[in-house]
């Protein structure tokens, strides 16, 4: 009996693809449209709240390869995190089309960060024959504002601050043409239909009409302070070579010595100011356009007060068309610092800026496109072989951090300083833009805005809340008031280490080195030089720096000579006054007897293990510096002092206290104090201190390895923003056979704490569910 013949393969099939990730507002639909037409496929592509849906119909081979082909040639700003497909009934569509957006329930779409102008837009802006010649709001699907103009999702024009700017016929043709670079570019506009500039004086009165940019350039050249409305807020700008103008900006903003960021036209100008490595040039020219910390040249043509006492400059390239146009004034550099008062968030509204920056700015260059999300400039550096973000905001937020597994949803409220908030949704963590220190009512309002933002963009309202263990933090008090939510209180340094684990998609256990200024310990003491054996759910304190007192408590942070006295007392015992006098660190009329009584009594003499305070004390010892005007100043100056000098190894010891290792750095402090009067250069001693830290950290980590068998070390905490410390510690640990995890995506400082809090709470919640 003859066998049955096989059924013929279908001539046409239809698959429904769903793409999630950053797939809206980045030219993804027109990209799929062109891809489908090139392959003679029919169907449609559509924006939905759960992703981008593409139903494609045609030959089986072409249809089945469609998803793979799409992932191979993505648009530059797209970031696809998942692709699924299912077979559906062929409909016989005559062609491929772009369908209107639709609401499909819970959002699976991730918003793109704001993006610096692309080369095509810049070429048009510089072309006198182009209709957008010198237009300061030029953009396309490959660049321009995203997060900072969004009111709701999906990312469509009516859900942005561009909704009040109806498209002119020319812009509408571009917007509706799938083959045009501006197809559904939501901020698309031109001089006919888009936002416009206004130049105002310090009282808010119009100054120029039709020549705002040229007049603004003249004002900057005349030494005036100009408030400039950018993507995520206002900047305060002055001519970077005008010392009088820079000094006046510092005086008015009450910013005594903290380094100011520099805006330059291009890489050629940046090279004139700094010694750039290839990795730093790539970071400077990346679409994120962060402020990049680079080693400055000597005798650069900048005002001395731009970055006094620092070996580095914070340089950025233009992130907006308006900044490009301002730099047509042939400035070697413009100072561009955040438009705010000290400890307050960046201004975003025109009226807000006129009120809050009155008395600081002489003039205001504003526009009528509303900023809906505050987003300051990001800060990054290149260290230990790659980029490391120090302040995560414009260009990076709200891009999600991919996690190693799915977790229950958690809202983490973050720390007290350098605050961010974070929501975990399944296998992704969404960090808010940098908020800052929560010391003022305005900053606390911004924190509330940021919580609302991450809830909105994740379309979630978690019933699990994570906060710091410290009961006095603003965020801890917020959590305490949420009686209808489950609250997880997370130790500060555990959160540091887990933030590093999270971005490296690791769960532990690891040997965590958490080195920072201070954090509330489980024993109620001020921790800050910690060696933890940590997982994403728990930790043990395996080691720490030997504690010392802070004479005057918080006052010692502002006056590092006090910490130096405490270090010398631990190093020299009762003879510390003589050592302090030899080092010249005691201010005139200082009573050593009073200091002794304070340190003996414990009155205002808080004990700490903080490495950040050790840096302060050693900086004062080698400086000396009696007081600082901003957090981390003494440590930054000590790093600058070390430069690239080779350092000798100073003595240290490792002991034990109730089964916990104790790293004693006071022998190193004694050696520094002894060597300094004998003519050893402060530069060589600063380098020696850094080397000794790296070697001693490795020695203690090795002790922990011997007892635990762990061979992976994770580095976190603000002290690892010190490039030299990070690189020397990494090299020392790797030289001893350790695998080293470090930060790349989230800040090592407290800006990454919310990520660690969220993962710890989510992992603990998983454990609780498994135990039920």
């Amino acid at each position: 009996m003859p066998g049955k013949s096989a059924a013929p393969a279908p001539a046409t099939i239809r698959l429904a693809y769903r793409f999630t990730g950053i797939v809206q507002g980045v030219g993804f639909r027109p990209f799929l449209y062109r891809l489908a037409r090139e392959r003679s496929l029919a169907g449609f592509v559509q924006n939905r709240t759960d992703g981008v849906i593409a139903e494609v119909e045609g030959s089986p081979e072409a249809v089945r390869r469609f998803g793979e082909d799409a992932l191979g040639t993505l648009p530059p700003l797209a970031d696809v995190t998942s692709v699924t497909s299912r077979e559906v009934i062929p409909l016989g569509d005559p062609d491929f089309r772009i369908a209107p957006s639709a609401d499909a329930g819970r959002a699976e779409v991730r918003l793109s960060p704001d993006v610096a102008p692309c080369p095509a837009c810049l070429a048009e802006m510089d072309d006198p024959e182009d209709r957008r010649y010198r237009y300061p709001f030029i953009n396309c699907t490959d660049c321009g504002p995203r997060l900072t103009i969004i009111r709701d999702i999906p990312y469509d024009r009516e859900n942005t601050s561009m909704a009040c700017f109806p498209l002119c016929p020319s812009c509408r043709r571009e917007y509706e043409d799938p083959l045009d670079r501006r197809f559904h570019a939501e901020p698309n506009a031109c001089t006919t239909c888009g936002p416009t500039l206004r130049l105002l004086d310090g009282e808010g009165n119009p100054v120029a009409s039709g020549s705002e940019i040229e007049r603004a350039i003249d004002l900057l050249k005349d030494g005036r302070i100009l408030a400039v409305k950018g993507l995520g807020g206002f900047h305060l700008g002055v001519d970077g070579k005008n010392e009088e103008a820079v000094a006046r900006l510092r005086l008015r903003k009450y910013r005594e010595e903290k380094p100011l960021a520099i805006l330059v036209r291009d890489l050629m100008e940046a090279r004139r100011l700094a010694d750039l490595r290839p990795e730093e040039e790539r970071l400077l020219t990346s679409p994120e356009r962060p402020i990049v910390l680079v080693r400055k040249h000597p005798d650069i043509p900048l005002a001395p007060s731009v970055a006094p006492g620092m070996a580095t400059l914070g340089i950025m390239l233009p992130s907006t068309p308006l900044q490009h146009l301002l730099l047509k004034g042939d400035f070697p550099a413009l100072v561009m610092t955040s438009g705010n008062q000290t400890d307050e968030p960046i201004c975003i509204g025109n009226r807000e800026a006129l009120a809050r920056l009155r008395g600081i700015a002489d003039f205001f260059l504003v526009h009528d496109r509303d900023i809906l999300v505050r987003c300051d400039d990001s800060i990054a550096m290149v260290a230990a072989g790659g980029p490391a973000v120090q302040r995560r905001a414009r260009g990076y937020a709200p891009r999600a951090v991919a996690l190693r597994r799915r977790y229950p949803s958690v809202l983490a409220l973050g720390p007290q300083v350098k605050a961010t908030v974070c929501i975990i949704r399944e296998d992704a963590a969404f960090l808010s833009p940098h908020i800052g220190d929560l010391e003022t009512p305005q900053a606390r309002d911004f924190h509330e805005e940021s919580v609302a933002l991450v809830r909105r963009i994740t379309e979630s309202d978690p019933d699990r809340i994570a906060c710091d263990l410290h009961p006095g933090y603003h965020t801890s008090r917020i959590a305490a008031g949420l009686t209808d939510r489950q609250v997880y209180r997370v130790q500060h340094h555990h959160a540091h280490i887990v933030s590093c684990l999270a971005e490296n998609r690791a769960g532990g256990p690891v040997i965590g080195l958490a080195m920072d200024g201070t954090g509330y310990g489980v024993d109620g003491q001020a921790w800050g030089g910690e060696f933890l054996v940590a997982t994403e759910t728990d930790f043990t304190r395996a080691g720490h720096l030997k504690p010392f007192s802070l004479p005057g408590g918080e006052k010692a942070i502002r006056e590092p000579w006090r910490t130096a006295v405490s270090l010398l007392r631990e190093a020299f015992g009762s003879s510390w006054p003589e050592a302090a006098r030899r080092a010249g660190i005691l201010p005139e009329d200082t009573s050593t007897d009073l200091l002794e009584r304070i340190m003996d009594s414990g009155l205002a003499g808080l004990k700490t293990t903080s490495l950040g305070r050790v840096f302060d004390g050693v900086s004062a010892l080698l400086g000396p510096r009696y007081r600082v005007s901003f957090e981390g100043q003494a440590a930054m100056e000590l790093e600058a002092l070390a430069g690239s000098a080779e350092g000798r190894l100073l003595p240290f010891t490792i002991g034990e206290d109730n089964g916990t290792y104790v790293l004693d750095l006071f022998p190193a402090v004694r050696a520094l104090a002894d060597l300094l009067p004998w003519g050893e250069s402060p530069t060589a001693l600063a380098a020696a201190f850094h080397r000794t830290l790296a070697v001693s950290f490795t020695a203690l980590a090795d002790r922990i390895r011997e007892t635990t068998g762990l061979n992976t070390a994770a580095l976190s905490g603000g002290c690892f923003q010190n490039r030299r410390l990070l690189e020397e510690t990494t090299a020392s640990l790797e030289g001893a056979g350790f695998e080293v995890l470090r930060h790349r995506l989230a800040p090592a400082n407290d800006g990454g704490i919310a990520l660690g809090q969220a993962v710890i709470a989510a992992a603990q919640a998983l454990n609780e569910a498994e135990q039920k």
Side-chain angles (χ1 to χ4, degrees), residues 531-563:
F531 295 78
L532 310 180
V533 172
T535 68
E536 63 181 5
T537 57
D538 205 356
F539 76 95
T540 57
R541 193 186 194 194
H544 56 78
L545 300 190
K546 188 173 181 180
F548 56 95
S549 63
L550 291 179
E554 291 289 323
K555 200 171 184 181
I557 299 174
R558 298 186 298 274
E559 299 178 359
W561 68 266
R562 294 174 177 270
T563 303

Side-chain angles (χ1 to χ4, degrees), residues 110 400-408 424-430 494 497-510 534-538 741 745 755-756 758-767 770:
R110 299 180 184 180
V401 176
L403 303 176
R404 72 186 188 96
R405 59 173 174 168
R406 291 176 178 268
Y407 293 91
I424 285 182
R425 187 173 141 175
E426 297 180 346
D427 60 351
F430 296 83
H494 187 205
I497 297 305
V498 175
S499 70
C500 183
L501 294 183
E503 70 165 84
N504 284 282
R505 305 187 79 171
V510 297
T535 68
E536 63 181 5
T537 57
D538 205 356
L741 305 181
L745 307 177
L755 172 61
V759 171
I760 290 167
Q764 289 178 352
L766 275 178
N767 278 3
E770 290 169 359

Side-chain angles (χ1 to χ4, degrees), residues 744-757:
R744 296 286 183 232
L745 307 177
N749 61 40
D750 283 8
I753 285 287
L755 172 61
Q757 289 176 345

